Amino acid sequence: MQTRAAVLWSVGSSWSVETIEMDPPGPQEVLVRMVAAGLCHTDEHAVTGDVEYPLPMIGGHEGAGIVESVGSAVTSVVPGDHVVMNFVPSCGVCPSCVSGLQNLCDRGAKIAEGPALDGTYRAHARGQDLAAGNLLGTFAEHCVIHESSVVKVERDVPLELAALVSCGVATGWGSSVYAGGVRAGETVVVIGVGGIGMNAVQGARSAGAVNVVAVDQIDWKRERAKVFGATHEAPDAASALALVAEITHGRMADCAVLTTSTAESSYLGPAVNLVGKRGRVVVTAIAASKQSTVDLNLAEMAFWEKTVRGALYGSGNPRFEIPNLLRLYRGGDLKLDELITHRYRLDQINEGYEDMRRGKSLRGVLIIDGDISG
Ligand code: CXF
Ligand code: ZN
């Protein structure tokens, strides 16, 4: 079949929205009609080349849609089901999955490679095979993907909101709740309050943090963070240091979450300085692949028993977490509507990324099927 998709043909170029050829689903695959896809910063890493992606590629790893047809061996969904995309297509049987670490599923190694799990391609254009970003490619009117890349959800939550839990909400919320292990009464600093950090703020608050410090250079984002539960704000890590010392009477924060748009090695030392004894630092933001050196006060790490850890998908299990986050939303305990600042049509994707680069948007969403007036 023919469909339309946003394709990145080379590093540094813009997204090309064009008609492509899509093969029918294989036995364990599904054809999904995309309704909404979030513009996450990770796809911008493909454009800048900070993270090497297989090109040409259909972008997008955050989204939701409706199953249109399924392959002969599919058991988890049927046509008509509403689904949210899962960017780590958890197999359920590898050592990581069976020990409760679905986000680290061995299939995850395939998400940056290019072809579908069986080694062949479903999408083609200009006589070439197209990779599907993170085995998904949500910047498209249709996706043909493995059934383990979709999670069925109930139909009551609008798909443009359900799309957000596919990456940004699960990643940010889990970075505080699971990776950061935030507990009642703690002080948490979230460095970078964009589409992911804002959810780290709401995760910290829902875990019971009493102080949540939002750090961002952009004034309106710090202001907006208060809606999600931030109690204090600072424009940079240096001013956060003085503020955190003051509000904790010198004990410093229990947890700092690094959710800047891009991670830089130089951000780690200041983040570690923000936490006190047994303090935890969570690195969620993605750095350029070539970055490998950091400058840290190791003596203080030892004497104060600090830890630094990474977090992928917020260290949660996507098949559990996606419906769980929607349950929280239904109960009024998670904000989704407030995350969307801009809606775009598929062919406005470059405008959407330009708004992100200029710091104008929190979460921009492509409304692929529907009205962008919200
Ligand atoms: C990323 C992490 C690397 C794979 C794609 C998604 N997280 C957030 O955008
Ligand atoms: Zn993302």
Side-chain angles (χ1 to χ4, degrees):
M1 66 181 281
Q2 290 202 322
T3 190
R4 285 174 66 72
V7 181
L8 184 67
W9 286 91
S10 58
V11 169
S13 55
S14 50
W15 295 97
S16 165
V17 179
E18 55 192 89
T19 299
I20 63 160
E21 192 62 39
M22 190 75 89
D23 298 336
Q28 265 202 282
E29 294 175 343
V30 296
L31 168 66
V32 178
R33 178 166 57 82
M34 291 305 300
V35 172
L39 301 181
C40 181
H41 200 100
T42 304
D43 294 288
E44 176 72 357
H45 286 301
V47 175
T48 59
D50 280 343
V51 179
E52 282 171 36
Y53 275 90
L55 301 180
M57 173 185 83
I58 303 172
H61 61 276
E62 178 176 289
I66 301 173
V67 176
E68 226 163 63
S69 67
V70 301
S72 56
V74 167
T75 55
S76 55
V77 288
V78 295
D81 279 347
H82 285 201
V83 289
V84 166
M85 280 29 189
N86 169 11
F87 69 76
V88 179
S90 342
C91 72
V93 295
C94 72
S96 299
C97 281
V98 296
S99 57
L101 306 173
Q102 259 181 22
N103 62 318
L104 300 179
C105 173
D106 288 356
R107 276 189 184 160
K110 302 269 178 207
I111 68 177
E113 284 180 8
L117 288 171
D118 69 357
T120 63
Y121 291 83
R122 299 293 165 272
H124 321 273
R126 307 187 200 177
Q128 291 188 50
D129 291 328
L130 302 177
N134 298 113
L135 295 174
L136 295 169
T138 58
F139 298 160
E141 289 174 351
H142 295 89
C143 298
V144 170
I145 51 185
H146 196 272
E147 67 172 314
S148 61
S149 293
V150 299
V151 178
K152 180 179 170 176
V153 296
E154 290 179 39
R155 296 181 189 200
D156 59 331
V157 178
L159 285 168
E160 67 168 31
L161 299 179
L164 304 176
V165 306
S166 176
C167 176
V169 179
T171 299
W173 194 88
S175 292
S176 290
V177 175
Y178 298 125
V182 174
R183 293 186 297 269
E186 290 194 330
T187 294
V188 179
V189 187
V190 179
I191 305 165
V193 285
I196 293 196
M198 213 54 101
N199 294 297
V201 168
Q202 53 176 343
R205 269 302 259 216
S206 68
V210 288
N211 297 313
V212 181
V213 182
V215 181
D216 204 294
Q217 290 170 343
I218 299 177
D219 298 352
W220 73 262
K221 288 190 183 174
R222 295 199 307 275
E223 199 51 38
R224 187 98 171 188
K226 294 177 187 161
V227 173
F228 293 88
T231 56
H232 299 78
E233 44 153 315
D236 50 48
S239 27
L241 195 70
L243 172 67
V244 172
E246 186 194 322
I247 61 178
T248 62
H249 309 289
R251 292 197 67 81
M252 305 309 287
D254 301 287
C255 179
V257 185
L258 187 61
T259 43
T260 43
S261 44
T262 305
E264 301 281 346
S265 311
S266 61
Y267 298 170
L268 195 60
V272 172
N273 290 339
L274 283 165
V275 300
K277 294 175 184 170
R278 281 280 171 114
R280 294 98 58 193
V281 175
V282 179
V283 180
T284 297
I286 306 289
S289 334
K290 60 180 187 300
Q291 296 215 23
S292 58
T293 50
V294 291
D295 193 0
L296 279 181
N297 185 324
L298 292 180
E300 207 172 88
M301 274 198 77
F303 289 137
W304 286 20
E305 295 194 354
K306 297 182 182 186
T307 54
V308 175
R309 65 167 285 180
L312 180 69
Y313 231 144
S315 295
N317 288 298
R319 301 197 81 78
F320 168 77
E321 210 51 54
I322 287 168
N324 188 45
L325 289 164
L326 294 178
R327 269 191 295 277
L328 288 171
Y329 171 74
R330 251 179 233 114
D333 295 314
L334 182 77
K335 294 186 193 305
L336 295 179
D337 306 72
E338 294 82 350
L339 289 167
I340 301 181
T341 52
H342 296 71
R343 291 176 178 78
Y344 309 93
R345 293 189 306 273
L346 178 59
D347 59 11
Q348 292 175 311
I349 182 170
N350 292 307
E351 203 180 298
Y353 271 106
E354 193 51 32
D355 285 343
M356 177 192 286
R357 283 177 210 125
R358 293 188 179 166
K360 285 167 67 178
S361 54
L362 186 55
R363 210 37 149 200
V365 177
L366 298 178
I367 304 297
I368 298 168
D369 185 3
D371 185 357
I372 62 165
S373 62

